Each structure stands twice: as structure tokens, then as C-alpha cells.
């Protein structure tokens, strides 16, 4: 049984430039999605909804992000377009993260709950040596074009995407300062 402290500490974001371009086993995706569902939610609203894009839909997603960026920018940065082309060639799957806002609990609680579901996906990936991913809130998240792609209703927020790909191995360096952000108050 792996140690929970190690799992939390060793969780990493892996970015498209690290992806080999190989396609991930669908079983990895379904495990992530199943575990996401065990996140806590106030009043059990289960506010998350996920849409997985695979195959040609991955390229279509990046084409849309690129077109939408160009259409809504006064000045287009060609480096950004090049980066999207690179990302499209390396990404295996994209999980659209959609949060459904109820009128049962405050909006921030629904979003916090969705973030916990994403953390479950992150942690699930830790067990697969050759699977990596990261939460992206760039790539036109929640813009009209993406809202339409993911069929968002007016009470839904597109909270970005979990971008996934095959990696050669996990990175070990943690991007964390060498201090703890907590106070222990003893009475
Ligand atoms: C809400 C949220 C949004 C993020 N959005 C982006 C993003 O748009 N682009 C990006 O490169 N990384 C994004 N990240 C990933 C961070 O870059 C990453 O967590 C950070 O570099 C720390 O690395 P680690 O996850 O390996 O600890 C996001 C993370 C969170 C929690």
C-alpha cells in the first residue's frame, strides 16, 4: 500500500512539452474520472461534470482555441499559435472541467468542490508511471467558444481542462518553497 504522504508529495504537473505524443490507455482516464467522483461536496451537490476529448477531437480543440485567440486579440503573438500546434501534437486526452452551480450552496463552494475532484484526478495519475497531466485554466477557458464546445448551460462554468499525455517518466523536483504555511496554536 503506497504511503498517502508520499502520494501527496510526489504528485506533479506534467506539461505538453514533456509528453511523448503516445496515446494513454483509456483505463487510466476512466480511473481518474471515477476517483474524481469521490470528492466532497457540501449538501452532496456533486457539482462537477467532465467531458473527455480523444482522437481527432484533441486537434479540433486546439484549432478552436487558436482560432478563438486570434479572433479576440488585437495583437496576435505567433509564439502562442506555435505553442498550441506543439500541444496538439503531444496531447493524448483533454478532460473538460465543468462546474454546475446550484442555488443550494454558495458558488465558491461548488468551485472548491470541483477543484477537489480535479485533485483526485491528479493524485490518481501518480500511480501510473507513464501518464502525466496538468490543470490548465488558459486555452480560452470559459470563453463562449469553449462553453459551446462543452455544452455549458447558463448555470455552468467551464473551469478549464485537465490536459493529459504519455510521459517517459515522472519528474521528481517539487516546485515548493522550503517552508510550511501553517501555524500551530496551542491552548
Ligand atoms: C487552478 C489551477 C489552474 C492552473 N492553470 C494552469 C495553466 O493555465 N497553465 C499552466 O501551465 N499551469 C497551470 N496550472 C498548473 C500549475 O502550473 C502547477 O500546479 C504548478 O506549476 C506547480 O507544479 P506541481 O503541480 O507539479 O506541483 C494550474 C493549477 C491550478 C491549481
Amino acid at each position: 500500500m503506497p504511503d498517502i504522504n508520499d502520494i501527496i508529495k510526489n504528485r506533479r504537473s506534467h506539461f505538453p512539452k514533456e509528453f511523448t505524443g503516445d496515446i494513454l490507455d483509456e483505463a487510466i482516464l476512466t480511473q481518474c474520472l471515477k476517483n474524481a467522483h469521490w470528492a466532497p461536496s457540501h449538501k452532496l451537490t456533486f457539482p462537477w461534470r467532465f467531458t473527455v476529448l480523444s482522437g481527432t477531437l484533441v486537434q479540433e480543440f486546439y484549432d478552436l482555441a487558436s482560432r478563438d485567440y486570434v479572433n479576440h486579440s488585437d495583437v496576435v503573438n505567433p509564439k502562442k499559435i506555435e505553442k498550441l500546434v506543439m500541444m496538439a501534437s503531444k496531447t493524448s486526452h483533454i478532460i473538460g472541467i465543468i462546474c454546475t452551480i446550484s442555488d443550494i450552496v454558495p458558488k465558491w463552494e461548488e468551485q472548491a468542490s470541483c477543484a477537489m475532484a480535479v485533485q483526485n484526478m491528479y493524485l490518481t495519475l501518480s500511480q501510473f508511471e507513464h501518464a502525466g497531466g496538468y490543470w490548465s485554466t488558459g486555452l480560452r477557458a470559459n470563453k463562449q467558444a469553449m462553453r459551446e464546445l462543452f455544452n455549458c448551460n447558463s448555470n455552468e462554468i467551464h473551469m478549464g481542462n485537465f490536459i493529459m499525455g504519455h510521459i517517459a517518466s515522472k519528474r521528481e523536483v517539487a516546485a515548493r518553497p522550503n517552508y510550511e504555511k501553517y501555524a500551530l496554536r496551542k491552548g
Side-chain angles (χ1 to χ4, degrees):
M1 183 83 172
D3 184 84
I4 183 72
N5 303 309
D6 288 336
I7 295 172
I8 290 170
K9 233 165 52 186
N10 293 331
R11 179 209 58 78
R12 288 280 83 81
S13 292
H14 288 273
F15 303 100
K17 59 178 188 300
E18 302 169 66
F19 297 166
T20 63
D22 288 351
I23 301 301
L24 296 175
D25 225 332
E26 211 167 277
I28 296 176
L29 273 288
T30 46
Q31 192 62 67
C32 285
L33 294 161
K34 281 182 178 167
N35 287 352
H37 195 63
W38 289 96
S41 60
H42 191 182
K43 301 258 173 87
L44 299 182
T45 57
F46 307 112
W48 51 82
R49 174 168 81 71
F50 302 107
T51 298
V52 184
L53 306 179
S54 65
T56 55
L57 297 181
V58 169
Q59 181 68 53
E60 284 177 30
F61 169 91
Y62 284 109
D63 288 345
L64 177 66
S66 187
R67 253 191 341 266
D68 201 52
Y69 162 65
V70 170
N71 290 344
H72 292 91
S73 304
D74 296 332
V75 184
V76 172
N77 179 353
K79 287 226 160 69
K80 249 190 167 158
I81 309 280
E82 272 170 40
K83 190 173 173 193
L84 291 173
V85 171
M86 177 279 287
M87 290 169 85
S89 71
K90 301 255 195 174
T91 301
S92 169
H93 291 77
I94 294 169
I95 303 180
I97 304 158
I98 296 106
C99 184
T100 307
I101 307 298
S102 67
D103 52 8
I104 299 170
V105 299
K107 183 173 162 184
W108 76 265
E109 294 196 35
E110 305 287 38
Q111 289 179 283
S113 183
C114 287
M116 297 177 95
V118 174
Q119 174 75 339
N120 280 2
M121 295 204 282
Y122 255 118
L123 293 174
T124 303
L125 272 192
S126 304
Q127 72 191 291
F128 302 108
E129 181 57 25
H130 298 291
Y134 77 110
W135 185 354
S136 164
T137 48
L139 304 172
R140 313 297 296 163
N142 205 39
K143 302 286 186 201
Q144 194 51 37
M146 287 296 164
R147 293 181 57 81
E148 282 169 20
L149 176 68
F150 291 112
N151 299 320
C152 291
N153 297 326
S154 56
N155 64 332
E156 290 184 317
I157 300 169
H158 172 223
M159 288 181 63
N161 305 282
F162 203 66
I163 309 284
M164 298 172 67
H166 178 276
I167 53 174
S169 62
K170 302 274 185 196
R171 260 186 304 112
E172 282 179 16
V173 186
R176 291 294 177 276
N178 198 15
Y179 61 86
E180 274 101 25
K181 296 183 101 172
Y182 59 74
L184 278 179
R185 290 189 181 179
K186 294 188 180 169

